[in-house]
Amino acid sequence: MCRVFVFSSNGSASELVINGLSALRNSAQADPMGPSGVINHSDGWGFTVVSYGVSTALKWYYRSLTPIYKDDNYQSLGMVIGRLLMSGESYGIFHVLNAADKKLIRIENVHPSMVYTRDGELHVVHNGVVNKYALFEILRREYGVELNVDDASDTYVLTHLIASMYNEVGDLESTIKELAGLLREINGVESALNTGILLIKPCCAELFITTMYNSDVINNERRRRYYNLFIGRLNNGVFAASSTLVRAYGLAKLGDTRELEPGMGELIYCRLSTSDFNCSKA
């Protein structure tokens, strides 16, 4: 179980990112919404941020096995990110990790996972569990991709699958729709598919979030309230975040927010532009 924060902005995103990072850090240290009580997310953290200025794109990709609330780099990272995002279009995905399988805690499995595609870099953060062996079988059979799946996290395998599907389809929204059908077909969601999906191209970026639950989450109110994603609109951008950041640590105060609650077998996906969001079902 993990926590995520994503954003897009068409102007200075400093205040948004500072508030989001603070809420993420607090939720990592003490998450009061855990299904079994207060938990922490101590298995590492990471982010990808990209800013498109007048003539070039600036990207920062960071991952650490140190919890965000113990990372000595946290303060300086926040300040540098703030300066990076002073103007232009910017996008970011952030994640704190509470690994379902502690044997897989290694830097390669800290989020965001990244895979190169035909058009640029695909970065993915994920809260929930999907069946990595079923996804890997599709990767191996349909796309000829070989991975050391026993040492890989489900998010690492998922990112490779999304990249392979995108390389064939050539459109990220269509890829997400196809992924929804595939996961239903193989019963691949073991708890939730709450993702931030960032495709970084030389010219521009695309940012989506997804949310999809299995029946155990849908039928358990406490688990559902924990997994629910929120999406919000500000004067200069859009953000999405895990429930703890919004309900317990103040992100609801940033702007107009709403909760996303998928039905049985349903995937909700939202495209985040720098000024608005558009949500659909697949």
Side-chain angles (χ1 to χ4, degrees):
M1 294 184 288
C2 312
R3 302 284 80 181
V4 302
F5 169 71
V6 311
F7 80 91
S8 56
S9 177
N10 57 10
S12 174
S14 301
E15 183 178 0
L16 171 59
V17 172
I18 288 169
N19 280 282
L21 270 173
S22 176
L24 192 71
R25 186 176 188 269
N26 288 334
S27 68
Q29 189 165 15
D31 188 335
M33 294 188 66
S36 58
V38 177
I39 59 174
N40 66 11
H41 306 271
S42 59
D43 297 328
W45 76 291
F47 64 84
T48 302
V49 170
V50 61
S51 178
Y52 292 87
V54 175
S55 60
T56 188
L58 299 174
K59 182 196 70 179
W60 198 346
Y61 180 34
Y62 179 84
R63 296 189 293 177
S64 173
L65 287 171
T66 304
I68 186 174
Y69 53 86
K70 291 184 178 180
D71 193 337
D72 292 337
N73 294 319
Y74 172 78
Q75 294 293 344
S76 58
L77 286 170
M79 288 188 291
V80 174
I81 291 171
R83 289 197 296 270
L84 180 66
L85 305 179
M86 288 301 292
S87 62
E89 294 188 353
S90 55
Y91 305 81
I93 55 176
F94 298 77
H95 184 273
V96 291
L97 177 63
N98 182 2
D101 186 349
K102 302 301 183 185
K103 298 190 299 295
L104 297 179
I105 299 174
R106 53 174 60 89
I107 194 65
E108 295 84 2
N109 290 329
V110 175
H111 308 204
S113 289
M114 190 278 284
V115 177
Y116 290 101
T117 72
R118 56 191 264 184
D119 295 324
E121 296 178 6
L122 182 75
H123 295 247
V124 176
V125 295
H126 174 217
N127 170 216
V129 179
V130 293
N131 187 329
K132 69 176 183 178
Y133 292 102
L135 298 187
F136 172 65
E137 179 58 26
I138 295 167
L139 268 171
R140 186 190 61 77
R141 184 182 68 243
E142 301 294 332
Y143 301 102
V145 175
E146 294 291 343
L147 300 173
N148 186 354
V149 68
D150 289 330
D151 291 335
S153 70
D154 59 338
T155 305
Y156 184 82
V157 178
L158 174 67
T159 306
H160 276 270
L161 179 59
I162 295 172
S164 296
M165 295 171 70
Y166 174 82
N167 284 337
E168 187 171 88
V169 174
D171 177 79
L172 191 53
E173 182 173 358
S174 298
T175 298
I176 291 169
K177 292 179 182 179
E178 187 175 322
L179 177 67
L182 178 63
L183 289 171
R184 280 192 291 268
E185 180 181 334
I186 65 173
N187 294 316
V189 177
E190 297 187 347
S191 61
L193 183 79
N194 289 345
T195 68
I197 303 172
L198 177 63
L199 179 61
I200 301 175
K201 307 175 186 179
C203 66
C204 48
E206 293 183 63
L207 177 60
F208 286 85
I209 60 168
T210 74
T211 180
M212 186 178 192
Y213 300 153
N214 75 347
S215 59
D216 291 340
V217 172
I218 286 178
N219 295 325
N220 184 313
E221 183 179 359
R222 186 176 179 93
R223 292 190 76 196
R224 191 175 69 251
R225 284 171 61 84
Y226 172 78
Y227 276 111
N228 279 357
L229 286 177
F230 286 74
I231 191 163
R233 185 185 295 106
L234 309 177
N235 290 334
N236 65 338
V238 177
F239 75 94
S242 298
S243 58
T244 310
L245 282 71
V246 176
R247 291 187 181 274
Y249 290 113
L251 286 195
K253 299 176 183 177
L254 289 182
D256 178 33
T257 63
R258 69 181 179 95
E259 198 167 10
L260 302 176
E261 294 192 87
M264 188 70 69
E266 180 179 78
L267 182 140
I268 298 175
Y269 68 93
C270 305
R271 179 192 290 269
L272 281 65
S273 72
T274 55
S275 59
D276 206 349
F277 59 83
N278 182 36
C279 297
S280 303
K281 297 177 181 179

